[in-house]
Amino acid sequence: MKFLLITLITHLPDPVTGRRRSTTERFREVVDTAVLAEELGFDGYGVGERHERPFISSAPPVVLSHIAARTSTIRLFTAVTTLSLLDPVRAYEDYATLDHLSCGRLELIIGKGNGAAQAQLFHVTPEDQWERNREGYELFRRLWREDKVTWSGRFRPPLVDAETWPRPLQQPIRVWHGSATSRDSVDLAARHGDPLFSANVTNPIEPYAELIRYYRERWLHYGHDPADALVGAGTAGFYAARTSQEAVETYRPTFDARIAAFRKVGVQPVFETIEDAIERSSILVGSPQQIVDKVLRYHERFGHEVMHLSADSDGLTDKQHRQSLELFQSEIAPALRRAIPSRPLHRPSSAVTT
């Protein structure tokens, strides 16, 4: 199994202390955590894309470029690139450039994105968001693969023998499709023979397992070899300690503060107590063996080879955060790597010289 850390770069007060870092400090924390992730042996580090409060992740190519300069081996993920909001030509230019700056370490996760405010900012409607995502991706993948592109669509001006520069280093790049609830993104991934990354954060396991089942069904429908299907899955939170009692009591203030924040903005939480979340959600809080057992139970339903954890301290002290990640890599990751074989995150290419 492969393991990523992912951040959406929320910019909120610490849920326990109430202190909010400055914007500069928050960006520095994101980059420093990526450096730590490489040091500890994580396979990838992902930066989300949001264009509304409370996120400051509106420019993932910029953040990932800085991380690329501070690291040398870790794979760099977008989580997700919101192609429903972006001009695919401009997105291509940004990410082809980042592909070179990272020496071919880039991996894209695309999706339509969430949030009414950012949709309004980019004049995207609920009626056209999925079509924008599909059209944007199909143009993006052609731009990545073809030196000259002639194309027309609904949401941007047509292209005639268009050339885009720089040409990418990885040929082709692997593009994952992020999915939380919709069959549209699942079908798009299966149609193009691309991997699927299930959000697996908000709800119990059942709806996510159903979407992954549907992905494999559509994969076969489009004529792909079932052995080539590739699935990743997220988690709703993480804290590991030597005993389950220590883990639960340390993480409880963080969880309770999150629930209070949901209620403050009128969102009814799906899991109201940390005990319920540990029992029914994808949150990984407990001893190393408990976490291993839970991931294996999810793997029985998902068949996933890649998993992400939150990169953020999220109410933990810096010491607690680091110790938890160290414990994950020293005891949890080795057990899961032995139990769940996985393919390399990158596909070998003659164009990549890392």
Side-chain angles (χ1 to χ4, degrees):
M1 190 169 234
K2 300 291 189 294
F3 305 101
L4 322 177
L5 293 184
I6 284 180
T7 179
L8 298 180
I9 322 186
T10 52
H11 192 217
L12 292 166
D14 183 286
V16 176
T17 68
R19 177 184 178 270
R20 185 167 81 163
R21 303 186 188 215
S22 71
T23 300
T24 302
E25 288 175 320
R26 183 70 180 99
F27 280 127
R28 187 179 297 119
E29 179 185 40
V30 166
V31 175
D32 289 345
T33 304
V35 174
L36 175 63
E38 180 171 274
E39 174 190 326
L40 295 180
F42 282 89
D43 300 286
Y45 190 86
V47 173
E49 180 180 340
R50 295 288 185 93
H51 299 268
E52 60 186 343
R53 293 175 184 266
F55 308 96
I56 52 173
S57 52
S58 58
V62 179
V63 179
L64 287 169
S65 290
H66 191 52
I67 292 171
R70 292 279 307 277
T71 58
S72 58
T73 59
I74 197 166
R75 302 291 293 178
L76 305 178
F77 281 73
T78 64
V80 299
T81 295
T82 52
L83 282 179
S84 63
L85 309 180
L86 306 176
D87 180 346
V89 175
R90 188 71 183 114
Y92 162 81
E93 292 173 336
D94 284 343
Y95 286 113
T97 301
L98 176 55
D99 195 33
H100 284 278
L101 292 174
S102 65
C103 296
R105 289 187 282 140
L106 177 64
E107 301 238 358
L108 293 170
I109 306 177
I110 69 153
K112 74 167 182 63
N114 293 310
Q118 67 180 19
Q120 293 173 4
L121 188 66
F122 290 90
H123 299 282
V124 173
T125 69
E127 292 74 28
D128 68 22
Q129 60 185 349
W130 289 111
E131 183 63 16
R132 285 179 180 272
N133 185 63
R134 181 201 62 77
E135 180 179 290
Y137 175 57
E138 291 181 348
L139 174 55
F140 182 94
R141 66 182 281 118
R142 287 192 60 192
L143 293 168
W144 199 279
R145 288 164 170 77
E146 301 173 26
D147 292 335
K148 291 185 178 183
V149 173
T150 296
W151 172 92
S152 64
R154 288 179 56 195
F155 302 108
R156 78 167 319 279
L159 303 173
V160 178
D161 285 338
E163 295 181 303
T164 46
W165 299 97
R167 299 310 301 151
L169 179 57
Q170 296 182 86
Q171 188 59 272
I173 194 173
R174 171 178 280 155
V175 178
W176 302 70
H177 294 247
S179 171
T181 58
S182 171
R183 289 189 167 199
D184 293 284
S185 55
V186 168
D187 186 82
L188 186 64
R191 184 187 316 163
H192 291 290
D194 294 330
L196 179 72
F197 213 109
S198 171
N200 190 37
V201 170
T202 306
N203 296 303
I205 192 172
E206 286 75 17
Y208 303 113
E210 169 57 24
L211 280 176
I212 292 171
R213 184 204 62 77
Y214 181 69
Y215 167 69
R216 297 185 189 279
E217 176 185 300
R218 299 305 290 170
W219 184 275
L220 290 174
H221 170 79
Y222 288 116
H224 305 302
D225 185 338
D228 292 335
L230 178 60
V231 174
T235 56
F238 168 71
Y239 182 69
R242 288 294 172 189
T243 68
S244 61
Q245 294 83 358
E246 179 188 352
V248 170
E249 293 313 308
T250 300
Y251 198 77
R252 187 184 300 277
T254 290
F255 183 88
D256 290 346
R258 183 187 302 165
I259 296 304
F262 284 158
R263 291 197 172 113
K264 185 176 181 180
V265 297
V267 176
Q268 180 61 32
V270 177
F271 311 102
E272 297 194 0
T273 68
I274 189 170
E275 288 80 8
D276 185 33
I278 290 171
E279 176 66 25
R280 296 193 302 121
S281 85
S282 65
I283 196 171
L284 300 177
V285 174
S287 68
Q289 189 59 53
Q290 286 175 312
I291 290 173
V292 168
D293 291 343
K294 186 168 186 177
V295 173
L296 291 176
R297 290 198 302 273
Y298 268 72
H299 177 72
E300 289 177 0
R301 301 287 299 277
F302 291 171
H304 60 310
E305 298 179 29
V306 183
M307 183 181 80
H308 87 55
L309 304 175
S310 172
D312 299 327
S313 56
D314 196 24
L316 303 171
T317 67
D318 291 343
K319 181 179 180 180
Q320 288 170 333
H321 186 219
R322 181 176 184 122
Q323 287 178 339
S324 181
L325 294 177
E326 288 174 341
L327 188 58
F328 182 88
Q329 284 294 5
S330 64
E331 297 192 19
I332 300 169
L336 291 173
R337 291 187 200 277
R338 288 192 297 269
I340 304 172
S342 56
R343 287 159 278 188
L345 283 177
H346 67 285
R347 292 180 291 196
S349 169
S350 58
V352 179
T353 56
T354 59

